[in-house]
Amino acid sequence: MNKYKEIFFKNVWYENPVFVLVLGICSTLAVTNNLKNTLIMTIGVLLVTGFSNLTVSLLKSFIPGKVRMITQVLIISFYVIIVDIVLRAYLPDVSKALGPYVGLIITNCIIMGRAEAFAQSNSPLLSFWDGVTSGLGYMVVLMVIAFFRELFGFGTVFGYRIMPEGFVNWTIMVMPPSAFFMLALFIWIVKGRGNNNA
């Protein structure tokens, strides 16, 4: 049980894929201007990472070393296509809003990195947990950034008006450059806090 706890804290905080390893930045910058879309995107990444890790771990002894990477990409693609089909069928508006970013989950460095660095040499259950917690670490950062971008950009949280009627929306918060600033601010605060506690 300690191993699972260790993986959880490592992936969500100490070695968070976004603010420590600086992976998966493209989608961090692209989809975080709206909490609903961000939540669905991050759930998709969480599921793809978890099930890709599980599948890679189950099949690792059958995959020849020379075609290991391409096989991992095929496995990841399979789960991304499932996520894309489900979104198109049940949440067409969100699917349209996310556009190509759902398909680009395949290229997310976090998923490929966890498949190669962890699932390739660990048990299926542990690998699944590693994938889920890596996705959770990614989700936490994106949701925090999306919260502030939507709050100040639209005056809403999950589409519900929060800011007073007289509040003037900060247009820059829904534009791509604000994602750079918000991510940099997030990293600065978290790293600064870590240094002060050291």
Side-chain angles (χ1 to χ4, degrees):
M1 187 55 73
N2 283 340
K3 185 73 177 170
Y4 288 89
K5 192 175 172 183
E6 181 188 330
I7 290 171
F8 175 84
F9 285 109
K10 193 172 162 185
N11 288 337
V12 173
W13 191 255
Y14 300 113
E15 292 184 12
N16 183 286
V18 180
F19 69 78
V20 176
L21 303 177
V22 197
L23 298 173
I25 297 301
C26 297
S27 51
T28 304
L29 304 177
V31 302
T32 54
N33 63 356
N34 179 299
L35 270 167
K36 183 182 173 187
N37 292 349
T38 305
L39 178 64
I40 291 167
M41 177 75 175
T42 54
I43 288 173
V45 171
L46 185 150
L47 293 174
V48 169
T49 314
F51 283 104
S52 296
N53 265 14
L54 176 68
T55 309
V56 168
S57 181
L58 283 169
L59 299 178
K60 62 180 183 281
S61 55
F62 302 103
I63 302 172
K66 288 183 179 176
V67 294
R68 187 183 73 248
M69 300 287 280
I70 191 68
T71 308
Q72 290 170 358
V73 172
L74 283 173
I75 291 167
I76 293 165
S77 303
F78 170 75
Y79 288 111
V80 171
I81 289 168
I82 290 177
V83 168
D84 193 29
I85 290 171
V86 170
L87 283 179
R88 284 172 193 260
Y90 296 102
L91 296 166
D93 292 340
V94 174
S95 175
K96 192 175 177 182
L98 290 174
Y101 293 106
V102 176
L104 287 174
I105 292 174
I106 295 167
T107 63
N108 191 312
C109 306
I110 299 168
I111 304 171
M112 196 68 200
R114 297 324 296 170
E116 180 65 15
F118 196 93
Q120 198 63 35
S121 54
N122 284 283
S123 68
L125 196 56
L126 210 55
S127 298
F128 179 72
W129 181 243
D130 177 76
V132 168
T133 52
S134 290
L136 190 62
Y138 172 81
M139 175 188 278
V140 168
V141 178
L142 264 67
M143 289 301 287
V144 170
I145 292 173
F147 173 82
F148 288 105
R149 289 188 72 193
E150 183 178 331
L151 180 65
F152 292 111
F154 296 111
T156 60
V157 171
F158 280 109
Y160 294 102
R161 187 81 191 169
I162 299 294
M163 300 303 266
E165 285 302 320
F167 176 76
V168 178
N169 295 338
W170 300 3
T171 308
I172 192 167
M173 291 300 278
V174 295
M175 297 172 71
S178 74
F180 280 106
F181 300 132
M182 291 301 298
L183 179 61
L185 188 63
F186 186 95
I187 292 173
W188 177 60
I189 291 170
V190 171
K191 294 277 187 181
R193 184 181 164 84
N195 290 337
N196 288 337
N197 290 338

